[in-house]
Amino acid sequence: MWSDNDTKTLELRVPRYLTRSFQVGIDLVMLSVAYWLAFLFRFEFQIPREYAQIALLNWGYVVALLYVVLTVFGVPRYSWRYISLREMFRIAIAVATGTATLVALRLGLGSIPQWDLFVIPLGVIGSNAMLAFVALTGVRATRRLQGEATERKRREVRGTRHRALLIGAGKAGVMVARELSARPDLGLDAIGFLDDDRTKVGTRIGGLTVLGTPDQIAEIAERKRAKRVLITIANASGPEIRRITTHCKNAGLDTKIIPGLYEIVGNLNLSQIRSVAIEDLLGREQVKLDEAQVEASIRGRSVLVTGAGGSIGSELCRQVARFAPARLVLVERFENALFEIHREIAASFPQLEIEPRVADVCDEIRMTAIFSATSPHVVFHAAAHKHVPMMEQNPGEAVKNNIGGTRTVAGLADRFGVAQFIMVSTDKAVNPSSVMGATKRVAEIVCQTREQRSKTRFVTVRFGNVLGSNGSVIPIFKEQIARGGPLTVTHPDMQRYFMTIPEAAQLVMQAGAMGQGGEIFILDMGSPVKIVDLARDLITLSGLRPDDDIKIEFTGVRPGEKLFEELSTSAEDADKTKHPKIFIGRIAPRPDEVVADIERLLGLADSGSAEELRIGLQRIVPEYVTNGGTQQSKQAEQATQATPSSHSSRSSGTNDVLPEQPTIN
């Protein structure tokens, strides 16, 4: 039974060819046992002499034929240690195929007198099929049970064990229950399920009883003496997780959650179980990529990513690497950020050719050298200045980087015959009220005008805020909570759209693969979230009480901010695409003189005043409001005056930490 080299000890003691030989021997013995038992059962353990002769003559060829069929179906390659229903089904198909062959031979030889000694009774063939299946699967199941018992004994540790309830008696819940059973070292004993499906209550699933519904958790936890709860619902909605965590908090239970099944590769690893995070409460549905389409646009090609060290840029690098490009070029001007993402990708994808290039996208000479040396087929342009208040104070840098950098990289893409150019944009480019938003809108126009006279397919992908990006609201809130508060929010009605960084990067890749040129793709951001609700959720997830343990202060809407962000305008005829989370908006091409306006604006980047730069932006983007915001922002300012604020009571350490809506790199 020591046929699987699962443990290091066996790997050291037994060469692989010996373990495989041992497996073959066991299989042949099991097939032989099944064969002789079939004859014994057929003749009630008293085989007549003539049939004993038939049994001996046919023994070798029957066993050999069945094993050849098993080999054809790949059964000997399966690990005994991890046999599952899938492998058992494969064995059943192989045995059935071999049995059908024996029946065909039996019927064919039965009409030839000289072959009488090779005619096996049909009853024996049928019994042999059932016995062979039981023997082959039984020996493998025994090996699996033996291995799991050994693993449990190896991992068994002394110490306090905690009784845990699993919420969600579906596929993910069964996976977690099995893993907990195999991992005593985790100190968790799963004692039952809770599930909203009342028809499951009282049934046994995965070896555990469904004890009730999540609404009964306080009563059941007390009765069963449970101290921990694991949320094992695959892809649960935000409101659903919020409801469950509220019940658990009221019952004083420690609550953890598993990631969605789309995050789990292969078998579930219980190290993936984590505390409930703010992303779970937002409850966005999983992204389903058309991986064949994305792979076709990336596999075997040279891919260049600008802003590779930023939040979106680095995630794009991770996602692109999955699809086996011929070369991945990382362009980033910050050395430390480039070092980190290069080290990570190199460790995760050792076979991938990676070229880290320190460069500023505004440096045309340096970027030309990079394009010449790497010959990219696909360019993801994620480099940008993103912080709204910072760009209000430094408009020239926003113009140089967001517009000038885009013009440089887009021009080189055209010059070097890049097949696809995908620019990452932002919802702040719609009816912009900030320098950052206006410069990103101009960058979109740069791509559109370049598309009109280029063989390169230029597309833009526009989306809202990403959770946890560098300098975004959630890291700032966490820092403020760690200091004991207060959490500073600009306005009680401030709302933003959110998505996770991996989701944003995946949809950017999908949109890029779909683009034919000239489109502005708009990502479905779901429902907007109030920033003050986000603050309260983070305080609660930290085990504290909003307004009691941690205060929330309103600081007033800042220049360039809007209460509500938009993803498209009425002038952009946004249509559905074949992907449910991606829409397409086409804007009428701008006249040729816009190119001259952009050149004049770039000429003012270093020498022009802030007012001149804003006027230049408004000339190109007429919908840009330069007076600090739209009418919506003016109303917000009036509302802020009526909202209790504690500017004077804040400590000096929080004046410069005013949480800005997450933007993009």
Side-chain angles (χ1 to χ4, degrees):
M1 302 305 296
W2 298 98
S3 55
D4 187 79
N5 55 349
D6 181 59
T7 65
K8 292 183 178 180
T9 302
L10 285 177
E11 288 176 350
L12 291 173
R13 290 181 180 176
V14 185
R16 186 176 181 83
Y17 74 90
L18 288 181
T19 62
R20 290 304 183 195
S21 299
F22 191 50
Q23 283 183 331
V24 172
I26 291 289
D27 279 341
L28 293 176
V29 169
M30 291 298 103
L31 291 173
S32 297
V33 170
Y35 175 81
W36 283 105
L37 283 177
F39 268 95
L40 289 171
F41 291 162
R42 168 64 176 80
F43 296 104
E44 298 182 357
F45 292 88
Q46 293 182 354
I47 305 176
R49 180 183 298 274
E50 63 271 21
Y51 282 102
Q53 186 178 5
I54 290 174
L56 284 169
L57 283 174
N58 291 282
W59 175 17
Y61 103 80
V62 169
V63 170
L65 186 147
L66 288 176
Y67 192 80
V68 167
V69 175
L70 289 172
T71 303
V72 170
F73 279 84
V75 172
R77 295 198 302 269
Y78 296 147
S79 170
W80 291 19
R81 172 67 175 81
Y82 299 103
I83 187 173
S84 65
L85 288 176
R86 178 179 296 178
E87 285 76 32
M88 293 175 68
F89 179 74
R90 192 77 168 178
I91 292 173
I93 295 297
V95 170
T97 301
T99 300
T101 304
L102 288 173
V103 170
L105 290 172
R106 161 67 176 81
L107 296 177
L109 296 175
S111 59
I112 305 175
Q114 57 267 38
W115 290 92
D116 284 348
L117 289 177
F118 293 94
V119 176
I120 304 173
L122 291 176
V124 171
I125 295 175
S127 297
N128 179 67
M130 292 183 289
L131 292 168
F133 173 75
V134 171
L136 292 171
T137 57
V139 72
R140 285 161 170 78
T142 302
R143 171 66 185 100
R144 173 174 171 170
L145 292 173
Q146 179 191 46
E148 290 177 352
T150 302
E151 186 69 10
R152 280 196 299 271
K153 185 176 180 181
R154 184 180 68 82
R155 287 176 167 175
E156 198 164 28
V157 294
R158 295 182 179 180
T160 304
R161 302 191 62 78
H162 300 280
R163 296 167 65 82
L165 292 169
L166 309 184
I167 298 184
K171 179 179 179 181
V174 173
M175 290 172 65
V176 173
R178 288 174 178 168
E179 284 295 312
L180 288 176
S181 176
R183 293 288 304 276
D185 56 305
L186 295 174
L188 291 176
D189 289 328
I191 58 175
F193 286 112
L194 300 179
D195 198 282
D196 282 319
D197 186 352
R198 294 183 179 275
T199 62
K200 292 182 179 179
V201 176
T203 62
R204 288 186 66 81
I205 299 175
L208 298 175
T209 302
V210 181
L211 302 171
T213 66
D215 295 339
Q216 303 170 299
I217 192 166
E219 170 197 343
I220 294 173
E222 183 178 3
R223 175 160 46 90
K224 293 292 185 178
R225 295 176 288 109
K227 298 298 182 183
R228 301 283 177 88
V229 170
L230 298 181
I231 301 176
T232 59
I233 305 172
N235 308 318
S237 67
E240 191 174 11
I241 294 178
R242 190 186 303 273
R243 173 176 61 88
I244 292 171
T245 53
T246 299
H247 286 316
C248 294
K249 181 183 177 184
N250 293 338
L253 299 170
D254 180 36
T255 309
K256 303 290 184 182
I257 192 171
I258 68 162
L261 287 182
Y262 69 99
E263 298 178 46
I264 300 172
V265 179
N267 293 326
L268 173 67
N269 185 336
L270 289 186
S271 64
Q272 294 171 302
I273 292 177
R274 52 172 171 76
S275 299
V276 177
I278 194 66
E279 293 89 341
D280 302 310
L281 300 185
L282 295 179
R284 291 184 54 79
E285 297 178 1
Q286 74 175 79
V287 173
K288 294 181 180 178
L289 287 180
D290 181 350
E291 296 207 352
Q293 186 181 43
V294 175
E295 183 175 15
S297 69
I298 290 175
R299 177 175 286 276
R301 296 187 171 187
S302 176
V303 179
L304 184 147
V305 180
T306 69
S311 303
I312 295 296
S314 61
E315 185 62 26
L316 277 170
C317 294
R318 297 182 190 99
Q319 298 290 343
V320 167
R322 292 173 46 217
F323 293 97
R327 177 192 296 121
L328 179 57
V329 185
L330 316 178
V331 177
E332 171 61 55
R333 68 176 179 173
F334 296 110
E335 176 192 9
N336 289 339
L338 181 61
F339 172 80
E340 292 298 335
I341 187 61
H342 175 240
R343 183 175 65 168
E344 177 187 337
I345 300 296
S348 301
F349 302 91
Q351 305 303 318
L352 177 60
E353 181 183 344
I354 308 172
E355 296 191 20
R357 301 297 181 103
V358 178
D360 187 331
V361 292
C362 299
D363 185 343
E364 186 169 358
I365 295 176
R366 173 62 173 158
M367 292 304 300
T368 300
I370 292 174
F371 270 74
S372 177
T374 61
S375 301
H377 294 88
V378 181
V379 172
F380 289 97
H381 180 47
H385 284 321
K386 66 175 187 175
H387 294 288
V388 171
M390 191 69 70
M391 293 305 101
E392 289 300 306
Q393 297 184 30
N394 300 274
E397 292 304 306
V399 168
K400 282 196 296 186
N401 198 43
N402 294 357
I403 301 175
T406 300
R407 185 194 63 167
T408 297
V409 180
L412 291 171
D414 178 25
R415 175 180 164 186
F416 285 90
V418 171
Q420 294 172 285
F421 182 96
I422 302 99
M423 190 193 93
V424 177
S425 190
T426 170
D427 56 359
K428 292 167 184 61
V430 183
N431 293 326
S433 62
S434 64
V435 168
M436 193 282 275
T439 55
K440 291 297 287 185
R441 176 68 193 108
V442 176
E444 292 179 353
I445 295 172
V446 167
C447 291
Q448 286 186 301
T449 55
R450 180 67 66 174
E451 158 69 25
Q452 296 174 33
R453 56 181 188 273
S454 174
K455 293 182 179 179
T456 300
R457 286 183 288 137
F458 287 87
V459 299
T460 297
V461 184
R462 182 189 290 171
F463 55 91
N465 307 289
V466 289
L467 290 167
S469 62
N470 297 331
S472 64
V473 67
I474 290 180
I476 292 175
F477 277 165
K478 289 180 177 179
E479 179 184 336
Q480 291 178 334
I481 291 172
R483 293 203 307 260
L487 266 62
T488 52
V489 180
T490 54
H491 191 277
D493 294 326
M494 185 72 71
Q495 295 183 6
R496 291 294 180 265
Y497 292 97
F498 288 100
M499 65 167 49
T500 64
I501 294 175
E503 180 182 18
Q506 290 172 15
L507 287 174
V508 167
M509 293 169 59
Q510 184 74 72
M514 293 166 55
Q516 297 301 309
E519 304 99 333
I520 291 182
F521 288 103
I522 302 166
L523 305 189
D524 176 11
M525 298 294 297
S527 301
V529 178
K530 280 192 172 183
I531 302 301
V532 68
D533 291 341
L534 206 62
R536 290 195 176 100
D537 284 338
L538 275 172
I539 293 171
T540 301
L541 290 176
S542 300
L544 303 169
R545 294 170 298 175
D547 302 321
D548 292 332
D549 300 323
I550 299 287
K551 300 293 183 183
I552 296 176
E553 296 181 353
F554 298 104
T555 60
V557 179
R558 295 169 292 178
E561 284 187 326
K562 294 189 288 185
L563 283 183
F564 311 100
E565 297 290 2
E566 306 159 89
L567 285 168
S568 64
T569 67
S570 58
E572 301 172 7
D573 186 17
D575 297 320
K576 292 182 178 180
T577 67
K578 65 179 182 180
H579 195 286
K581 288 184 176 289
I582 300 177
F583 296 82
I584 182 173
R586 294 185 184 272
I587 306 177
R590 301 297 295 271
D592 290 340
E593 53 263 28
V594 74
V595 177
D597 290 335
I598 292 172
E599 291 297 329
R600 280 194 292 269
L601 178 62
L602 289 171
L604 292 172
D606 285 321
S607 59
S609 66
E611 185 62 26
E612 288 175 317
L613 291 169
R614 289 188 171 91
I615 293 173
L617 285 168
Q618 194 173 37
R619 182 190 301 275
I620 304 168
V621 187
E623 63 270 27
Y624 168 45
V625 179
T626 62
N627 61 356
T630 61
Q631 181 64 26
Q632 192 177 59
S633 294
K634 294 179 181 178
Q635 293 173 353
E637 292 173 7
Q638 295 171 1
T640 302
Q641 294 174 2
T643 302
S645 180
S646 51
H647 288 277
S648 59
S649 63
R650 284 187 318 196
S651 65
S652 59
T654 62
N655 286 332
D656 60 343
V657 187
L658 304 180
E660 163 60 14
Q661 65 270 22
T663 49
I664 55 178
N665 283 13

